[in-house]
Amino acid sequence: MRKGWWLVIAGLLLLCGGAWRAAQVQTAGGVTVRDVRFAGADGVVLRALLYVPKGATAVTPAPGILAVHGYINSAETQSGFAIEFARRGYVVLALDQTGHGYSGGAAFSQGFGGPAGLRYLKSLPMVDRANIGLEGHSMGGWTVLAAAASDPAGYRAMVLEGSATGAPFAKAGTPAWPRNLALVFSRYDEFAKVMWGVDRAADAPGSGKLQALFGTADAVVPGRVYGDLAAGTARRLTMPAVTHPGDHISVEAIGDSLDWFAQTLQGGTPLPASDQIWWGKEVATGVALVGFVLVLLGVIDVALGLPGLASLRAVPAFRQGEAPRWRRVEAPRWRRGVAISALLPVLTLFPAYIAITLLLPPSRLLPQVVTTQLLLWSLVNALLALLLARFGPALPALPRARWGASLALAGLVLGVGYGLVLAVQGLFVVDLRFWVVALKALSPGQWQVLPVYLVPLTLCFWVMLRGLSGVLAGTGRGMLGQYGAAMVALAGGILLFLVVDYAILFATGRLPTGFDPLTTVIAIQFVPLLALVAVIATFCWRRMANPLPAALICGGLVTWYAVAGTATQVV
């Protein structure tokens, strides 16, 4: 049996086993999870995941909670919260904001979908309308604030995770509005300036804006309850020792929300706030994501034995005995090439992303701001790589580009991968993810967006991986050395930047890149994503000695990942 078949079998076992286990965790205790669609304003269709605990019926209605993710995420990002709410007997509607996931409309429109989400939740027969909670992370906080503003008497309590009241996207908070508010604002939150006007998240208790919300002239004391629960004016601040995206995988942050709803909502099943099982689902979908990658690698290897694709096979130069001479002659240039490849993305990241934000608003041609930022960043890096190519290792002799066979291989690999993602979502109602790194099937609207970004991003990967061929050829014969060198060249610079950036944040409370915290948080995804590109590129190069097939596969995969996982601002 070809080695590729073993990779396919191992990958399928991890994929199916992880997805099955994730489904078991999120339905523990008899909870059912369904993908639902409902009408928003102006005929826009919104999507959510509906968690219904055992025993919640029209005869015995249960408390309900509207849970909403932050910017460029989807309902699944809130699964840690949703799973624990549902385990405690709450009906949970985990919403895709407008322009996110599978919800229609443009991002930031219609109160982010919050008012429609609250109306739908209250319309469900198994929901106790007198006991509704609202929970939102980051921009999801603005979503539930919009819901609260649209129906001031339609809920009993709210939890804002890493979010804030007030301009530019929410109504100003007062000691009386919103009702019974718990603010979970982490001590290392990157968005302290945006949310509460302070340079360090740890200084949020002294924010004038926060003091006005709590109705006090003194610094807010974390853990203390201000106001009156019975009157709906209660306030509480808690500050877990995590970052803004870390709220999603924090037992403390999730526990704070559980404790607050236990105090403010009537009904449900009492459980200690520390009794949490959501992490099992997070690990399981992470395992499934690893299995997905193994399947793709196995399909590549198996496909190279098929008629018409076998012509792509070629022996890299290092396997022909040229590596010792190559390394002896090219060592200084090889090291420079690795350094240039690793550092260029770091140096160009913030200029490229800020330029798009300031100079190129979203349009019908380029409707996704974050994907457009990724495109510009990739184009800049590709052009600079071409200009600086003479300072890096010389390219080895490459086989003739076989476009037809390369396109066929990429189509086969990506087609199998897409079919697996569809099957997992349909059978298990989960996506492939770990934390904020997630791969989802595309919505019809996202399919229309995909071609705009696909070609230029794929060309950028071709340039990038042509340069990587020189790095791989100069690494030597060792398999681990080749994979390691590729990952350092593509992801090492971003990883080093993030380690330094966050080490300073944890040491001082100040984020050095606090002038653009969103790009900083987005950069976290680039480490596993570029490491994956390095793995696929090295796997392909060891079998085909040609960057073209890997570029087509990686270009398609990264474009799919970006378009499905971010927000659409123009429809």
Side-chain angles (χ1 to χ4, degrees):
M1 183 183 293
R2 293 181 65 91
K3 182 168 63 175
W5 281 115
W6 291 112
L7 286 172
V8 171
I9 293 170
L12 286 175
L13 288 173
L14 291 176
L15 177 69
C16 297
W20 175 83
R21 180 55 188 160
Q24 293 297 111
V25 173
Q26 71 180 13
T27 58
V31 173
T32 61
V33 183
R34 293 190 290 123
D35 188 308
V36 297
R37 313 295 164 109
F38 58 94
D42 301 324
V44 170
V45 176
L46 300 179
R47 176 259 189 176
L49 292 176
L50 179 63
Y51 296 70
V52 180
K54 184 179 180 180
T57 67
V59 177
T60 56
I65 294 178
L66 175 65
V68 191
H69 62 87
Y71 184 48
I72 61 172
N73 284 302
S74 65
E76 289 83 359
T77 314
Q78 288 296 91
S79 63
F81 294 91
I83 288 168
E84 297 305 331
F85 294 154
R87 288 183 67 224
R88 285 156 176 79
Y90 305 138
V91 176
V92 184
L93 188 72
L95 177 71
D96 278 351
Q97 293 179 34
T98 50
H100 290 73
Y102 302 123
S103 284
F108 301 90
S109 68
Q110 300 181 12
F112 311 94
L118 178 56
R119 285 195 300 273
Y120 180 74
L121 177 64
K122 292 175 64 177
S123 74
L124 297 173
M126 78 288 291
V127 172
D128 177 3
R129 291 187 178 188
N131 279 283
I132 299 289
L134 306 175
E135 182 273 331
H137 179 266
S138 193
M139 200 164 88
W142 301 334
T143 307
V144 297
L145 285 166
S150 72
D151 188 359
Y155 68 103
R156 287 179 65 101
M158 178 186 296
V159 176
L160 295 181
E161 299 264 354
S163 192
T165 57
F169 295 111
K171 178 180 173 181
T174 70
W177 188 89
R179 293 171 56 86
N180 288 338
L181 171 67
L183 173 63
V184 183
F185 200 75
S186 299
R187 293 205 296 272
Y188 303 104
D189 195 294
E190 296 92 331
F191 293 84
K193 190 75 172 179
V194 175
M195 298 298 179
W196 297 107
V198 293
D199 292 327
R200 303 189 317 153
D203 295 333
S207 160
K209 179 181 176 182
L210 184 60
Q211 290 170 336
L213 174 66
F214 275 61
T216 178
D218 301 318
V220 174
V221 179
R224 173 181 167 185
V225 176
Y226 292 73
D228 186 343
L229 282 168
T233 61
R235 302 280 183 268
R236 189 184 72 179
L237 169 69
T238 53
M239 304 189 74
V242 292
T243 65
H244 186 82
D247 290 338
H248 296 297
I249 53 172
S250 167
V251 170
E252 187 179 358
I254 294 174
D256 288 341
S257 66
L258 298 173
D259 177 68
W260 188 248
F261 285 133
Q263 294 184 53
T264 55
L265 299 182
Q266 297 177 359
T269 305
L271 287 175
S274 60
D275 182 355
Q276 300 179 27
I277 65 170
W278 59 267
W279 56 267
K281 186 259 184 184
E282 199 73 25
V283 171
T285 53
V287 169
L289 184 57
V290 172
F292 172 83
V293 173
L294 292 181
V295 172
L296 294 192
L297 297 179
V299 171
I300 292 170
D301 192 72
V302 171
L304 291 176
L306 299 176
L309 298 181
S311 61
L312 290 172
R313 279 197 172 272
V315 180
F318 78 92
R319 290 187 176 177
Q320 297 173 345
E322 297 180 14
R325 175 179 174 275
W326 188 289
R327 295 185 71 186
R328 184 169 61 251
V329 175
E330 295 284 335
R333 293 184 65 185
W334 183 87
R335 287 192 291 269
R336 286 199 300 270
V338 173
I340 290 171
S341 295
L343 293 177
L344 268 184
V346 179
L347 297 175
T348 58
L349 177 63
F350 286 94
Y353 271 59
I354 292 172
I356 291 298
T357 302
L358 297 177
L359 303 176
L360 188 62
S363 63
R364 289 192 178 275
L365 178 62
L366 297 171
Q368 294 187 333
V369 170
V370 173
T371 311
T372 304
Q373 290 173 321
L374 173 64
L375 175 57
L376 177 62
W377 182 47
S378 301
L379 287 170
V380 169
N381 288 332
L383 290 173
L384 289 175
L386 289 174
L387 292 173
L388 297 173
R390 66 189 183 92
F391 297 105
L395 292 178
L398 300 176
R400 178 171 62 88
R402 299 178 181 274
W403 281 93
S406 297
L407 285 167
L409 175 63
L412 175 62
V413 172
L414 294 173
V416 169
Y418 197 81
L420 290 174
V421 170
L422 282 175
V424 165
Q425 291 185 198
L427 292 172
F428 302 107
V429 199
V430 297
D431 57 5
L432 303 183
R433 74 164 51 240
F434 183 77
W435 193 18
V436 294
V437 177
L439 188 63
K440 303 168 62 68
L442 295 153
S443 70
Q446 290 165 346
W447 270 113
Q448 296 176 26
V449 171
L450 185 77
V452 176
Y453 295 102
L454 178 60
V455 173
L457 276 172
T458 301
L459 289 174
C460 290
F461 275 104
W462 192 19
V463 172
M464 179 196 306
L465 299 187
R466 278 178 62 85
L468 187 65
S469 296
V471 171
L472 291 172
T475 304
R477 297 174 182 272
M479 179 181 70
L480 294 180
Q482 292 154 17
Y483 281 102
M487 285 191 279
V488 168
L490 296 188
I494 296 290
L495 176 60
L496 178 62
F497 152 69
L498 289 171
V499 168
V500 173
D501 207 35
Y502 277 90
I504 294 173
L505 171 63
F506 292 134
T508 69
R510 296 178 186 271
L511 185 70
T513 53
F515 57 87
D516 189 1
L518 178 60
T519 298
T520 303
V521 169
I522 289 173
I524 295 171
Q525 299 181 48
F526 294 149
V527 175
L529 196 60
L530 290 174
L532 172 60
V533 170
V535 168
I536 293 174
T538 305
F539 188 88
C540 290
W541 185 79
R542 287 174 58 83
R543 287 154 179 78
M544 292 174 275
N546 189 337
L548 179 59
L552 294 172
I553 293 170
C554 292
L557 186 61
V558 171
T559 307
W560 164 17
Y561 173 91
V563 171
T566 188
T568 302
Q569 277 80 12
V570 177
V571 294

